[in-house]
Amino acid sequence: MARLGANRYGKAETRVVHVTRGSASGGADAIRDWNVSTSLSGDLASTHLSGDNSNVLTTDTQKNTVYAFANRLGGVEPEVLALALARHFVESQAPITRARVGIAEYPWSRIGQTGYSFARGGEYTRLVTVVHDEASGPSVVAGLADLVVLNTTGSQFWGFPRDEYTTLAEATDRILATQVSARWRYRDVELDWASAFSAARTALLDAFSATRSYSLQQTLYAIGERIIESVPEVCEVRVALPNKHHFLVDLEPFGLSNDKEVYFAADRPYGLIEGTVLADDATDPGPAWD
Amino acid sequence: MARLGANRYGKAETRVVHVTRGSASGGADAIRDWNVSTSLSGDLASTHLSGDNSNVLTTDTQKNTVYAFANRLGGVEPEVLALALARHFVESQAPITRARVGIAEYPWSRIGQTGYSFARGGEYTRLVTVVHDEASGPSVVAGLADLVVLNTTGSQFWGFPRDEYTTLAEATDRILATQVSARWRYRDVELDWASAFSAARTALLDAFSATRSYSLQQTLYAIGERIIESVPEVCEVRVALPNKHHFLVDLEPFGLSNDKEVYFAADRPYGLIEGTVLADDATDPGPAWD
Amino acid sequence: MARLGANRYGKAETRVVHVTRGSASGGADAIRDWNVSTSLSGDLASTHLSGDNSNVLTTDTQKNTVYAFANRLGGVEPEVLALALARHFVESQAPITRARVGIAEYPWSRIGQTGYSFARGGEYTRLVTVVHDEASGPSVVAGLADLVVLNTTGSQFWGFPRDEYTTLAEATDRILATQVSARWRYRDVELDWASAFSAARTALLDAFSATRSYSLQQTLYAIGERIIESVPEVCEVRVALPNKHHFLVDLEPFGLSNDKEVYFAADRPYGLIEGTVLADDATDPGPAWD
Amino acid sequence: MARLGANRYGKAETRVVHVTRGSASGGADAIRDWNVSTSLSGDLASTHLSGDNSNVLTTDTQKNTVYAFANRLGGVEPEVLALALARHFVESQAPITRARVGIAEYPWSRIGQTGYSFARGGEYTRLVTVVHDEASGPSVVAGLADLVVLNTTGSQFWGFPRDEYTTLAEATDRILATQVSARWRYRDVELDWASAFSAARTALLDAFSATRSYSLQQTLYAIGERIIESVPEVCEVRVALPNKHHFLVDLEPFGLSNDKEVYFAADRPYGLIEGTVLADDATDPGPAWD
């Protein structure tokens, strides 16, 4: 009567910090701060149906493998680690036909004069997802999350339809603020990951800043378009933009004028704009986004 | 060079509390506590490409519509509200071809002697998602999240492959604990929602409790199977089970024996098991899960 | 030029789950789910000033001690564990003159037919804090947090002063909702902890429900007074009540009347009412609340 | 039998964003992003005992006052806003004898070329607390929170006592990481707030980085001492340092050496070090820390 459908399993949120010991040779140390999640799928019906675990590489082993590969590969770009891990699981485990490795990297900046002191930057989290499929091979999606940006002016919102439930006034000058989640898919699996990430992040910030926006959708598209135009290795961008509403406070009851100075930053509800921008010649994503 | 792909927008997390005023007529009040998120898609290229908002029913209007429908419909089951809202957006807005309405409902229980006093139950959150597509019509997915369950015994885990990174010992008696996220798809859009939810939740708890588990995957499948067998209106179940690891503490260094009494409840990393169970005659999901 | 002032150190949030194996003898298992934080103070100047750690019982050892005592004492009330731990640290470590042990206990309820299956109840978290001071001995503060309660009617708020910044309308029938944090100090260190906790919690719920409230302050005082009157072992109650505002939604623009039915549950800002209620013959708290 | 003890009430977490419109005159805009909490105490027995609210300046009014003062004062340092608000409440409301105003300020940095585009920096949150007491006048405590710092080397921990529960190995080279919460009390209520904050933050970072640490307590004291020595306006520093443990992963089972390269970043439990450092001539704090 019942049957098994799509499934996967893995170890989520293995927290790895890697230190490159440059200080040992008179230089400076460097760190990578990662949150690694692995997920495997394949011939796993037996464990679901009867508890036969002979095909189940344990999640504890997956965690150990993350640590071992971090040791072997060293302080590489997170894409390199994710590619190696995903390939390893598929190639070493016959029943496993697809592996997904996601890495969140927390940036740090140097402080003090020591060469070994750091402060965690909280401006954004860097993201990498590699899917390695036995049939279609590996794919790389990179991105960032938790980046909060704001334009104090240069944003409008009007010309929308008005139905019986519409009370919103048109805005010709509003604050536009959002917490960006953006992910972009690369065409290839060998490239200069650090440069590509940096170029995409710069394109994103520039597009947000430079767009004279008539809607957050327009800003979203501009971000995707700018990344695709600035980073030729990228062929698809997916963006989610919560609209962090800033409402002008009515100070008239207190005899005060509020000429776009004092705003209330609201929590909930919030608009949420999600969209995809593709290069005209985007490649087939296969399971890259799964 | 760039083009627009899939997109949607809406108002997330509108927090609505509805009170049915039974107390006015000598009875008791009743409450519904909802977190409603709406999302629309359709002919929205213009706002992305040029900021022309003539097709964009604003997210503020969507919020207002949620309040108005909550008022008109009253303290109904959340499925009823979600169905009505999703249909409304598609039918009233020509450019909109699909609406998604998600509702999280927080349960409350009565306290005191008043008929109007309540305490919020934190055992689980009830979930509903309706997708109304202009072409394929409405679909209903229900479920729950945040339900933490634990078996102190009756769980084993052994017989798994051992590669060079495997150090995990086999377990013949372990604690099994998880925070259940389960969603199930109904075959129909008219049924007794409260009874179906209650039956599915009971089936879930019973399956978790009664399964002599050899893997969390087996427990997941048992949950899905039990729901499908117990609730004929359900044809597909999707479950995510983080393995909330409880590790037996080694007390030997202190001269103490720890005969499965004292455990350390770990935070991260955690196993994460995700899977789908389908009825043999499951209907086509269409965009129900999108 | 600089000197050391008050200080303390310890291990925070040791997550212990204790299982009483009743099932081994044909009965049912029982669990205790604790989050234990220990903190020590005393003659600790050396480690601050020169890094001399000879007086510093390590926080790792404190964690081990928590596990060992949980094993020795078994599934006791959390007050018993906290008292034993706090006494142990002060009595066994000459430099330590005061120990503070805080325990948060997460309640679970039974599910299924097995005798070993549980669901975590999320209605509240039980709290215990023991301070054992070398000079003044032990004290016990118990309480609860995260308890969300709501009255749909029976609450008013009017008669407040109106200055130039006051716009709030008077309310003769409003929703009153709060997330209770309450802690109460016992007169003694030996009593029936489970009964006292249960009686205090019942008193709290009854007072919240039964009070025809003209202000959240009045409700706060009623809660404190009711606990003191209902639980003679309690001589002081401290309560913090965030006002979880529920604002009636204005539906007039849509031609709808909203007769106290549809509310918006706001996040921030929120009123916050904090207060203490004492028995007339309350004992000296000493360092109980530190 | 019961009586009212210490109490206070107010509006927590009013989220204000202030924009200084420099762009209007050809320059750049500037923003202040604040989370303001106000709290009042005084002659408030009546509202607690009988619900007579004639002395209760409503929390809604407090919120309005925050907005109005933000408008009047403009994009000032948060200390200036807090001082003005606290004074206002005490001086304008006869029953109110003490006001506490806390402000958390979220820093932003400029992005793009526009003069009106910003990204929120997540490295730390700036804190201000003003207590204005009718009798003793105002006091100012400033600080920061959420600052995560890490030394990859330069930290040791040994020489601690070993009791029957001690298993920790001595460490001669460990990672030291913490999330700093520091607050410092100023001697005066008129000074260059921005410079003082900046100097204290720099001193904190320098002390963390430069201290060859034998314990986190030693680092804490060094931070406090450095702030007091570097910022003469400060006479007291209170610091809380959770020890964000980084454990070297044992890779020997996999035939790999781990020469201080790969670490597991643990969540819970964590050490927690709290302490106060005072200038020799520190002034009386009065209610500054309440």
Side-chain angles (χ1 to χ4, degrees):
Chain A
M1 186 167 172
R3 63 188 163 86
L4 183 64
N7 61 84
R8 61 182 181 185
Y9 79 104
K11 192 65 119 192
E13 302 206 37
T14 297
R15 293 282 292 109
V16 193
V17 170
H18 182 277
V19 180
T20 302
R21 294 284 172 187
S23 61
S25 53
D29 281 3
I31 57 173
R32 293 280 185 179
D33 184 359
W34 290 322
N35 194 8
V36 183
S37 297
T38 60
S39 191
L40 310 181
S41 46
D43 178 7
L44 295 163
S46 296
T47 185
H48 288 86
L49 301 179
S50 68
D52 171 351
N53 295 314
S54 53
N55 284 357
V56 179
L57 188 76
T58 72
T59 68
D60 189 76
T61 297
Q62 295 177 42
K63 174 201 69 180
N64 289 344
T65 309
V66 169
Y67 289 134
F69 273 60
N71 178 268
R72 282 205 176 112
L73 293 170
V76 293
E77 296 299 316
E79 287 86 352
V80 175
L81 176 61
L83 279 162
L85 281 167
R87 174 181 302 271
H88 165 80
F89 290 125
V90 171
E91 294 190 347
S92 69
Q93 300 296 314
I96 300 304
T97 53
R98 185 182 294 173
R100 184 186 186 281
V101 177
I103 302 181
E105 179 176 291
Y106 309 108
W108 293 75
S109 56
R110 293 182 182 284
I111 58 170
Q113 311 299 324
T114 63
Y116 58 75
S117 301
F118 302 85
R120 184 162 157 172
E123 200 171 285
Y124 63 88
T125 303
R126 180 175 169 182
L127 302 177
V128 176
T129 308
V130 166
V131 174
H132 188 110
D133 184 83
E134 195 175 54
S136 58
S139 61
V140 180
V141 169
L144 55 75
D146 304 324
L147 174 69
V148 182
V149 289
L150 180 151
N151 285 328
T152 50
T153 186
S155 171
Q156 310 191 27
F157 187 54
W158 48 266
F160 43 80
R162 308 192 74 88
D163 74 357
E164 62 183 301
Y165 302 115
T166 304
T167 55
L168 187 69
E170 304 204 320
T172 55
D173 190 2
R174 64 171 184 174
I175 283 185
L176 188 70
T178 184
Q179 179 169 328
V180 181
S181 288
R183 296 200 296 159
W184 46 88
R185 180 165 59 89
Y186 290 115
R187 298 170 188 273
D188 206 348
V189 296
E190 276 185 59
L191 51 96
D192 182 338
W193 303 113
S195 296
F197 176 80
S198 177
R201 179 173 158 263
T202 300
L204 190 164
L205 291 171
D206 286 350
F208 177 80
S209 169
T211 302
R212 292 260 162 191
S213 172
Y214 290 85
S215 71
L216 192 46
Q217 284 91 332
Q218 190 185 12
T219 295
L220 182 150
Y221 186 79
I223 287 172
E225 185 180 41
R226 183 77 69 106
I227 293 174
I228 283 173
E229 289 176 353
S230 307
V231 193
E233 298 92 338
V234 171
C235 67
E236 183 180 0
V237 182
R238 296 191 181 182
V239 183
L241 299 180
N243 195 338
K244 296 177 76 74
H245 304 297
H246 285 67
F247 298 115
L248 200 65
V249 179
D250 178 12
L251 300 177
E252 278 193 29
F254 321 129
L256 298 169
S257 70
N258 184 5
D259 188 16
K260 295 180 282 184
E261 288 181 293
V262 176
Y263 294 83
F264 164 57
D267 292 312
R268 296 192 293 184
Y270 52 93
L272 179 58
I273 315 296
E274 301 167 279
T276 301
V277 183
L278 295 129
D280 278 340
D281 61 345
T283 58
D284 184 335
W289 296 99
D290 289 354
Chain B
M1 186 170 173
R3 62 186 163 87
L4 181 65
N7 62 84
R8 62 182 180 183
Y9 78 104
K11 192 64 116 192
E13 301 205 37
T14 296
R15 293 281 292 107
V16 193
V17 170
H18 183 277
V19 180
T20 302
R21 295 285 172 187
S23 60
S25 51
D29 281 3
I31 57 174
R32 293 280 185 180
D33 185 359
W34 291 321
N35 194 7
V36 182
S37 296
T38 60
S39 191
L40 310 182
S41 46
D43 178 8
L44 295 163
S46 296
T47 185
H48 288 87
L49 301 178
S50 68
D52 171 350
N53 295 314
S54 52
N55 285 357
V56 179
L57 188 75
T58 73
T59 68
D60 189 77
T61 297
Q62 294 177 43
K63 175 200 71 179
N64 288 344
T65 310
V66 169
Y67 290 133
F69 274 60
N71 177 268
R72 282 203 177 115
L73 293 170
V76 293
E77 296 299 315
E79 288 85 353
V80 174
L81 176 61
L83 279 163
L85 281 166
R87 175 183 302 271
H88 165 79
F89 291 125
V90 172
E91 294 190 347
S92 69
Q93 300 295 315
I96 300 305
T97 54
R98 186 182 294 173
R100 184 187 186 281
V101 178
I103 302 181
E105 179 176 290
Y106 308 109
W108 294 74
S109 58
R110 293 183 182 283
I111 57 171
Q113 311 299 326
T114 63
Y116 58 74
S117 300
F118 302 85
R120 185 162 157 173
E123 200 172 283
Y124 63 88
T125 302
R126 179 175 170 181
L127 301 176
V128 175
T129 307
V130 165
V131 175
H132 188 111
D133 185 82
E134 194 175 56
S136 58
S139 61
V140 180
V141 168
L144 54 76
D146 305 323
L147 175 69
V148 182
V149 289
L150 181 150
N151 285 328
T152 50
T153 188
S155 170
Q156 312 192 26
F157 187 54
W158 49 266
F160 44 79
R162 308 192 74 87
D163 75 358
E164 62 183 304
Y165 302 115
T166 303
T167 54
L168 186 69
E170 303 204 322
T172 54
D173 189 2
R174 64 172 182 172
I175 283 184
L176 188 70
T178 184
Q179 178 169 329
V180 180
S181 287
R183 296 198 296 159
W184 46 87
R185 179 165 59 89
Y186 291 113
R187 300 171 188 271
D188 206 348
V189 296
E190 277 185 59
L191 51 95
D192 181 339
W193 302 114
S195 296
F197 175 80
S198 177
R201 178 174 159 264
T202 299
L204 190 163
L205 291 170
D206 286 349
F208 177 80
S209 169
T211 302
R212 292 260 161 190
S213 172
Y214 290 86
S215 71
L216 192 46
Q217 284 91 332
Q218 189 185 13
T219 295
L220 182 150
Y221 186 79
I223 288 172
E225 186 180 40
R226 182 77 69 107
I227 293 175
I228 284 173
E229 290 175 353
S230 307
V231 193
E233 298 91 338
V234 171
C235 67
E236 182 180 1
V237 182
R238 297 191 180 182
V239 183
L241 299 181
N243 195 338
K244 296 179 76 75
H245 304 298
H246 286 67
F247 299 115
L248 199 66
V249 179
D250 178 11
L251 300 177
E252 277 192 28
F254 321 130
L256 298 170
S257 71
N258 186 4
D259 187 16
K260 295 180 283 185
E261 287 181 294
V262 176
Y263 294 83
F264 164 57
D267 292 314
R268 296 191 294 183
Y270 52 92
L272 180 57
I273 314 297
E274 300 167 280
T276 301
V277 183
L278 296 130
D280 279 340
D281 60 345
T283 59
D284 183 335
W289 296 99
D290 289 352
Chain C
M1 185 172 174
R3 62 186 164 86
L4 181 65
N7 63 83
R8 61 182 181 182
Y9 79 104
K11 192 64 117 192
E13 302 204 36
T14 296
R15 291 282 292 109
V16 194
V17 171
H18 182 277
V19 180
T20 302
R21 294 287 174 187
S23 60
S25 52
D29 282 3
I31 56 174
R32 292 280 184 179
D33 184 359
W34 291 321
N35 194 8
V36 183
S37 296
T38 60
S39 192
L40 310 182
S41 46
D43 178 8
L44 295 163
S46 296
T47 185
H48 287 88
L49 301 179
S50 68
D52 172 350
N53 296 314
S54 52
N55 285 357
V56 179
L57 187 75
T58 73
T59 68
D60 190 77
T61 297
Q62 294 177 42
K63 174 201 69 180
N64 289 344
T65 309
V66 169
Y67 289 134
F69 274 60
N71 177 268
R72 282 204 176 114
L73 294 171
V76 293
E77 297 298 316
E79 287 85 352
V80 175
L81 176 61
L83 279 163
L85 282 166
R87 174 182 303 270
H88 165 79
F89 290 126
V90 172
E91 294 190 348
S92 70
Q93 301 295 315
I96 300 305
T97 53
R98 186 183 295 172
R100 184 188 186 280
V101 177
I103 302 181
E105 179 175 291
Y106 308 109
W108 293 74
S109 57
R110 294 184 181 282
I111 58 170
Q113 311 299 324
T114 63
Y116 57 75
S117 301
F118 302 85
R120 183 161 158 174
E123 201 172 282
Y124 64 88
T125 303
R126 179 174 169 183
L127 301 176
V128 175
T129 306
V130 165
V131 174
H132 189 110
D133 185 81
E134 197 176 54
S136 56
S139 60
V140 181
V141 168
L144 54 76
D146 304 324
L147 174 69
V148 182
V149 288
L150 182 150
N151 285 327
T152 50
T153 188
S155 169
Q156 311 191 28
F157 187 53
W158 48 266
F160 44 79
R162 307 192 76 87
D163 74 359
E164 63 183 301
Y165 301 116
T166 302
T167 55
L168 187 70
E170 303 205 321
T172 53
D173 189 2
R174 62 172 185 174
I175 283 185
L176 187 71
T178 184
Q179 179 170 327
V180 180
S181 288
R183 296 200 295 160
W184 47 87
R185 180 165 59 89
Y186 290 114
R187 300 171 187 271
D188 205 348
V189 295
E190 275 185 62
L191 50 96
D192 182 338
W193 303 113
S195 296
F197 175 80
S198 177
R201 179 173 160 264
T202 300
L204 191 163
L205 291 171
D206 285 350
F208 177 81
S209 170
T211 302
R212 291 260 161 189
S213 171
Y214 290 85
S215 71
L216 192 46
Q217 284 90 332
Q218 190 185 13
T219 296
L220 183 149
Y221 186 79
I223 288 173
E225 185 180 40
R226 182 78 68 107
I227 293 175
I228 283 173
E229 290 176 355
S230 307
V231 193
E233 297 91 339
V234 171
C235 67
E236 183 180 1
V237 182
R238 297 192 181 181
V239 183
L241 299 181
N243 195 338
K244 297 178 75 75
H245 304 298
H246 285 67
F247 298 115
L248 198 67
V249 179
D250 178 10
L251 300 177
E252 276 193 28
F254 320 130
L256 297 171
S257 70
N258 186 4
D259 187 16
K260 296 181 283 184
E261 287 182 294
V262 176
Y263 294 83
F264 164 56
D267 293 313
R268 296 191 293 185
Y270 52 94
L272 179 58
I273 314 299
E274 301 167 279
T276 301
V277 183
L278 296 129
D280 279 338
D281 60 346
T283 58
D284 183 335
W289 296 99
D290 289 351
Chain D
M1 184 170 177
R3 62 187 163 88
L4 182 65
N7 62 84
R8 61 183 181 184
Y9 78 103
K11 193 64 122 192
E13 303 207 36
T14 296
R15 293 282 291 109
V16 193
V17 171
H18 182 276
V19 181
T20 302
R21 294 286 173 187
S23 61
S25 52
D29 281 3
I31 57 173
R32 294 279 185 180
D33 186 358
W34 291 320
N35 194 8
V36 183
S37 297
T38 60
S39 192
L40 310 182
S41 45
D43 178 8
L44 295 162
S46 296
T47 184
H48 287 87
L49 300 179
S50 67
D52 171 351
N53 295 314
S54 53
N55 284 358
V56 179
L57 189 75
T58 74
T59 68
D60 190 76
T61 297
Q62 294 177 43
K63 174 200 70 180
N64 288 345
T65 309
V66 169
Y67 289 134
F69 273 61
N71 177 269
R72 284 206 177 111
L73 293 170
V76 292
E77 296 299 316
E79 287 86 353
V80 175
L81 176 61
L83 279 162
L85 281 166
R87 174 181 303 271
H88 165 79
F89 290 125
V90 172
E91 294 191 347
S92 69
Q93 301 296 314
I96 300 304
T97 52
R98 185 183 294 173
R100 185 188 185 279
V101 177
I103 302 180
E105 180 176 291
Y106 309 107
W108 294 74
S109 57
R110 293 183 182 283
I111 59 171
Q113 311 299 325
T114 62
Y116 58 74
S117 300
F118 301 86
R120 184 162 156 172
E123 202 171 281
Y124 63 88
T125 303
R126 178 175 170 182
L127 301 177
V128 176
T129 306
V130 165
V131 174
H132 188 109
D133 185 83
E134 197 176 54
S136 57
S139 61
V140 180
V141 168
L144 55 74
D146 304 324
L147 174 69
V148 182
V149 289
L150 181 151
N151 285 329
T152 51
T153 186
S155 170
Q156 312 191 26
F157 188 54
W158 49 266
F160 44 78
R162 307 192 75 85
D163 74 358
E164 62 183 303
Y165 302 115
T166 304
T167 55
L168 187 71
E170 303 205 321
T172 55
D173 190 1
R174 63 171 184 174
I175 284 185
L176 188 71
T178 185
Q179 179 170 327
V180 181
S181 287
R183 297 199 295 159
W184 47 87
R185 180 165 59 89
Y186 291 114
R187 299 172 188 271
D188 206 348
V189 296
E190 275 185 61
L191 51 95
D192 182 339
W193 304 113
S195 297
F197 176 80
S198 178
R201 178 173 159 263
T202 300
L204 190 164
L205 291 170
D206 286 349
F208 177 81
S209 170
T211 302
R212 293 260 161 189
S213 171
Y214 290 84
S215 70
L216 192 47
Q217 283 91 332
Q218 190 186 13
T219 295
L220 181 151
Y221 187 79
I223 287 172
E225 185 181 41
R226 182 77 68 107
I227 293 175
I228 284 174
E229 290 177 353
S230 307
V231 193
E233 297 91 338
V234 171
C235 66
E236 182 180 2
V237 182
R238 298 192 179 182
V239 183
L241 299 181
N243 195 338
K244 295 178 76 76
H245 304 298
H246 286 67
F247 298 114
L248 200 66
V249 179
D250 178 11
L251 299 177
E252 276 192 29
F254 321 130
L256 297 170
S257 70
N258 186 5
D259 188 15
K260 295 180 283 186
E261 287 181 295
V262 176
Y263 294 83
F264 164 57
D267 292 313
R268 296 191 295 182
Y270 52 93
L272 180 57
I273 314 299
E274 301 166 279
T276 301
V277 184
L278 295 130
D280 279 339
D281 61 346
T283 58
D284 182 334
W289 297 99
D290 289 352

